[in-house]
Amino acid sequence: MSKLTAKQIEVLSCVSKGEKPYAMWRQTLNALLRKGLITRTVIGYSITANGIDAIKQEAAQ
């Protein structure tokens, strides 16, 4: 998996917590969708298992 930017880590963390200021994050959300770290749902976005692993890896560094 390619290295995540600080912004991607921030957005991924917020998605995992259920926070929803999506309009500010459009480009980052699209990048995370392409990487398979989040999915689009009926009510917003949801973090995937790969996204959880990415957060854990970044926290370990």
Side-chain angles (χ1 to χ4, degrees):
M1 178 184 307
S2 59
K3 186 93 171 126
L4 298 177
T5 66
K7 185 67 173 180
Q8 288 174 331
I9 294 166
E10 175 190 353
V11 172
L12 193 55
S13 178
C14 289
V15 168
S16 72
K17 294 175 190 170
E19 297 174 12
K20 299 182 180 182
Y22 299 139
M24 301 183 312
W25 303 337
R26 182 80 43 216
Q27 288 181 317
T28 304
L29 286 168
N30 288 336
L32 294 172
L33 281 166
R34 283 191 303 273
K35 291 181 180 191
L37 302 178
I38 61 173
T39 58
R40 198 177 310 247
T41 65
V42 174
I43 59 170
Y45 294 89
S46 180
I47 192 165
T48 63
N50 288 340
I52 293 169
D53 290 343
I55 289 175
K56 288 179 183 176
Q57 284 180 357
E58 291 297 327
Q61 292 180 0

